[in-house]
Amino acid sequence: MRIRFKVSLTIAILVVVGSLSLAFYFHIHSVGEKASQEAAGHLFNSAFQKIEQSAVELINHSFEIVYLVAGLDDFTIDPAHLLASSSLRTIFRLLEKNRELYSIYFGYDDSRFIQVISANKDPLILKAHMAPAETMWILRSIEFMDGAKRVQKWYFLDRAFQVLLKKIEANPEYDPRKRPWYLVAMQTDESALSNVYMFNSLRDIGITASEKRANGKGIAGVDLTLRQLENMISNIEISKNSRTLIVDKEYQIIAKPGTLGNISNNSDPLLSELSIDDRIGLRQIKIGNEIYYVKTDDVFKHGSDLKVVVTAPMGDFSTQFVNIQTRLTYTTMIWLILFVPVTYLLSKHMTNRLSVIASEAEKIKDLIFERKERKPSPILEFYLLEKNFDAMRSSLLEKTQALKISQSKLNRLVELGISFSAARDPEKLMEMILLGAKELTNADGGTLYKIEGDVLRFRIIRNDTLGMALGGTQDNDIRLNSVPLYDDKGNENHDNVVSHSIWVTKSILIEDAYDNAQFDFSGTKVFDQTNKYHSKSFLTIPLMPRGAKPIGALQLINCIDEHGNVTVFSEEILRFVEALGAQAATILYNLELLESQENLMDSMIQLIAGAIDAKSPYTGGHCERVPKLAMMMAEEACKCIDGIFADFAFKNEDEWREFSVGAWLHDCGKVTTPEYVVDKATKLETIYNRIHEIRTRFEVLLRDAEVVYYKELSAGGDKRALANAFDARKKDLMEKFAFVAECNVGGEFMGDDKIERLTEIAGEGWVRNFDIRLGLSHEEELFYQGCDTLPAKEKLLADGAYHILERKRDLKLQYADLDFKLPFPEHLYNRGELYNLSVRRGTLTNEERFKVSEHIMQTIAMLEKMPFPSKLARVPEYAGTHHETMIGTGYPRKLDASQLSVPSRIMAVADIFEALTASDRPYKKAKTLSEAIKILSDYKEDQHIDPEIFNLFLTSGVYKRYAERFLLPEQIDDVDISQYLS
């Protein structure tokens, strides 16, 4: 029976099948284009990640080299003794180790220039410099000869550093100060990267890493030729017809794989389009009939105007989908003709397959990589498409997971760095370093060593399997022998892996310690045998602050994988640990350096205080004892919660140290006070006691009286009468001198009657027959002008113009911004004999009293000019207020209670009490404990000191503890403090 199909039905089926076929065709085209775009996007991103990583490594390596070169000492080129310069030897080693570098050089601000070129028999370099064929090194210097004449010298050296050829050029045009690398380095204090420019000596293009030299003399530079840039992109290929280029800001080709570019090359139509549409990122550009995927990015982040361009025809990514479309079209036509139902079913099958792929592509875009199980397609193209799609998804999943792990470790590295920066205890910091490294590497154990002298000492040991925690914050000791840095013969110890890493300053990876013949692991094996442990994989890194020598080492043992098995430490994790170690070492180094600087500062402060005490025997020990007493009182004040102490407390070690430094420096201004003023025991004393001069004058008057006696006696005078007159004169002179000498001592108050008699004695005359200006210094001669008439009749006690010492500086101008309220005497000193002897109380004149009081003004002036850090900002206040009173009668600023902090009030009490009880001052007898407290009580009643500070001083027992420590036994007596408390 023949089956007939109605025409309408057949046409309907054909229309439906044809429409579906066209719909399937366009659907496949849309899904294929989208999938190809996503695949291209992933490949372009992956390529740029590799390029950016290479660029960062290239530039950072260049910066590391230029940083090292910038720290080298100056040198000159002496062909006869080239290797005598350690700096030149270092440059040779750097160029030999980094063969890709062209040259290293120094440029100076006076146009001098020194360059070392690594020729290495390179034909291009030899041709550019017209150098002999055996040239390995080229030395170039521009220096001054015969005054201002500039000379350029070229030395061409063989492998043994022997000179093959020497050239000398007069007045070279080259000036380093005008070169791009010099100009860009002058604009920053860090390493800089120049734009592309033409190398003067090579006559080829490149870029330069440059940096200011550490000694401040000129700029150091390292040349990077375009060969390095070409190598960086040579392995970047994302498709069959892709291209990777490095261009400048004008989109001229600088470098491309296979050959060095030319800056003037701008004939590429694709680059012409890019220069018009200058956007960063992935986009499509049509050139002729071809559409290209193009991505441009600035991967050089250090100021260079270079860009990387990666291009690929869209056809490289869509070819497979186009082939599928073509085959599907032919197959659909055959099926339409031969078997419509089969066509329909097959189209439906393909649509379903593509829909699944499109759906999964959408998920991949959202980083969802889950895969539904499906049977392999019987169609080869779909089978290959699904297979490649699954492979792409697996690759992206693997890379995404690796990226997440790296990101996680990077985030943890940043977190550890932040926590390291906050650490203040070196032991805690070292423990954090070791635990952080164990966490990053998933190591079972680890050890941290510190260099102490010639050994590496164990500081921290941790082992999870053994439950071992030694050193660090643990209260236990590590009883293991230190690792020596030198062997018995004094040579570097390279047998131990830790000491070896220190000497070579490199990280060491050991896969299996029991299968390693390079290093001595006998100690490890003994440890394993003792603790029933097996140490296998090792990672050892030296702890090196930037620009400094290693300060220790970090060793990690037995990396544990996700299954709990011991595995090898990977090269990838090594970079994280090295970054952690470098960061941690710098922080630890800075922490120890800061601690040593603070210790040095404290020692210098105590040294200054000791020197001030040693300057005068009358203040011995004062600057040392006052801080100790002040700290004792401050400790008690911090415990109180009442009165003025309610809101007072030193919150941290910095505030305690701030107060201690202020206490130690409270009398630092005494360095400007002359000893003869501080030590002035009699009124006429300066450098010596001038009472001897006055006594000599009395001797002269007595001799004159004796001469008169004998002259008149020889002239026939009455011997008895003359003798009586002489005896009376002698007695009068003796009594007058005794009175003058008594006034000089200054033990009693000088009343008006005494000053009147002193003035009467002073008026008596004597004759000077010798020139007073002889034997004087140039400066002294200025004081005695007009004293040249001989013989000269002078007074017995003189107040001459030559006794006045004028000030050389205006005190008001000197202390203009310091708000001092002490009256300034007109003269610096008045050494008049009658003026000094007439001092009513004590031995000091007004000028000398001011000079003594000026020590606190000098203290404030010196300390307020010092650039103290913020945590020591109140040092000038603590040091400069101990002579102020509660009612504003003190000096030098006449502050009152509202302007005096608790520490300032404590300093006042400590300074007074120490002065009262000091037993090492020969000019006065030390007060007993009860006498000193009685005087302090009087100061309290007069409102010179704070009553609450005084009460705390007594009730806390500080006075007694201080006395037991610093007073003589005979000074310590019983004190009833109840009578002084209020």
Side-chain angles (χ1 to χ4, degrees), residues 567-838:
T567 186
V568 179
F569 293 97
S570 66
E571 292 285 349
E572 180 182 359
I573 200 64
L574 173 61
R575 292 195 298 271
F576 285 99
V577 180
E578 287 179 333
L580 173 71
Q583 185 179 20
T586 300
I587 295 173
L588 180 60
Y589 176 79
N590 290 340
L591 187 62
E592 293 179 342
L593 180 62
L594 179 61
E595 182 180 2
S596 64
Q597 287 176 339
E598 289 183 349
N599 291 337
L600 176 61
M601 180 180 177
D602 290 344
S603 298
M604 291 295 293
I605 289 170
Q606 294 177 20
L607 180 65
I608 292 171
I612 293 170
D613 282 344
K615 181 180 177 183
S616 169
Y618 299 112
T619 59
H622 174 75
C623 291
E624 178 182 358
R625 290 190 292 265
V626 168
K628 294 178 180 178
L629 177 56
M631 292 296 284
M632 294 169 65
M633 295 174 63
E635 289 173 359
E636 296 299 330
C638 288
K639 298 176 185 178
C640 294
I641 58 175
D642 300 322
I644 64 171
F645 309 112
D647 298 324
F648 168 74
F650 289 139
K651 302 178 182 62
N652 50 51
E653 289 297 326
D654 288 341
E655 293 188 0
W656 277 105
R657 183 168 181 269
E658 183 180 41
F659 179 64
S660 176
V661 171
W664 276 98
L665 292 175
H666 79 284
D667 270 350
C668 66
K670 284 186 178 178
V671 297
T672 66
T673 307
E675 297 94 291
Y676 66 83
V677 175
V678 177
D679 300 348
K680 188 177 182 185
T682 63
K683 296 179 181 180
L684 290 174
E685 183 176 342
T686 52
I687 302 300
Y688 68 100
N689 192 344
R690 293 179 292 157
I691 191 66
H692 302 299
E693 292 185 21
I694 295 173
R695 189 189 70 249
T696 301
R697 295 172 197 163
F698 276 93
E699 294 280 3
V700 170
L701 292 178
L702 182 59
R703 296 297 184 276
D704 288 346
E706 189 175 9
V707 169
V708 170
Y709 166 75
Y710 283 112
K711 281 184 176 181
E712 292 185 1
L713 184 63
S714 62
D718 184 356
K719 181 176 181 180
R720 183 179 183 86
L722 291 174
N724 290 336
F726 173 73
D727 290 340
R729 176 61 170 162
K730 180 177 180 180
K731 181 180 179 181
D732 178 60
L733 290 175
M734 292 291 183
E735 289 177 351
K736 288 179 179 179
F737 176 73
F739 176 74
V740 171
E742 181 184 358
C743 292
N744 185 44
V745 174
E748 296 182 1
F749 177 77
M750 289 281 290
D752 292 339
D753 57 334
K754 291 185 177 181
I755 294 178
E756 184 178 350
R757 185 183 179 198
L758 192 64
T759 304
E760 180 184 347
I761 295 173
E764 188 167 349
W766 67 284
V767 178
R768 175 173 57 83
N769 294 285
F770 293 89
D771 192 341
I772 198 173
R773 298 171 302 164
L774 298 180
L776 303 182
S777 67
H778 175 71
E779 186 175 3
E780 284 182 295
E781 287 179 353
L782 300 177
F783 296 151
Y784 292 95
Q785 292 181 357
C787 301
D788 52 351
T789 302
L790 294 176
K793 187 174 182 180
E794 297 188 355
K795 292 183 178 181
L796 191 59
L797 300 177
D799 277 349
Y802 50 84
H803 286 128
I804 304 297
L805 274 69
E806 301 294 344
R807 296 188 182 278
K808 296 182 179 180
R809 291 184 295 178
D810 186 345
L811 286 185
K812 292 183 179 180
L813 180 62
Q814 181 180 350
Y815 298 129
D817 299 329
L818 297 176
D819 193 30
F820 293 148
K821 295 180 173 58
L822 273 179
F824 298 153
E826 179 184 358
H827 307 302
L828 178 62
Y829 294 112
N830 185 340
R831 294 175 178 166
E833 294 164 347
L834 179 58
Y835 179 78
N836 277 259
L837 287 170
S838 299

Side-chain angles (χ1 to χ4, degrees), residues 120-138:
N120 203 28
K121 299 183 181 180
D122 189 314
L124 293 178
I125 299 177
L126 298 182
K127 182 179 179 180
H129 295 280
M130 294 183 290
E134 296 300 316
T135 300
M136 293 296 292
W137 305 97
I138 301 175

Side-chain angles (χ1 to χ4, degrees), residues 440-505:
L440 281 177
T441 60
N442 201 28
D444 185 49
T447 305
L448 190 143
Y449 304 81
K450 278 294 300 302
I451 295 179
E452 297 183 6
D454 292 337
V455 299
L456 283 159
R457 191 166 74 85
F458 289 86
R459 297 299 297 269
I460 303 175
I461 298 176
R462 295 290 184 271
N463 190 286
D464 296 340
T465 299
L466 299 176
M468 183 178 293
L470 301 176
T473 59
Q474 305 297 314
D475 189 16
N476 49 36
D477 296 329
I478 301 177
R479 299 180 180 179
L480 295 176
N481 293 330
S482 301
V483 177
L485 289 171
Y486 300 91
D487 60 20
D488 296 338
K489 298 180 180 179
N491 300 319
E492 297 176 356
N493 179 15
H494 290 276
D495 292 337
N496 188 285
V497 64
V498 183
S499 58
H500 175 75
S501 72
I502 293 293
W503 286 118
V504 299
T505 63

Side-chain angles (χ1 to χ4, degrees), residues 161 196 385 675 827 953:
F161 300 98
V196 175
L385 176 62
E675 297 94 291
H827 307 302
F953 178 63

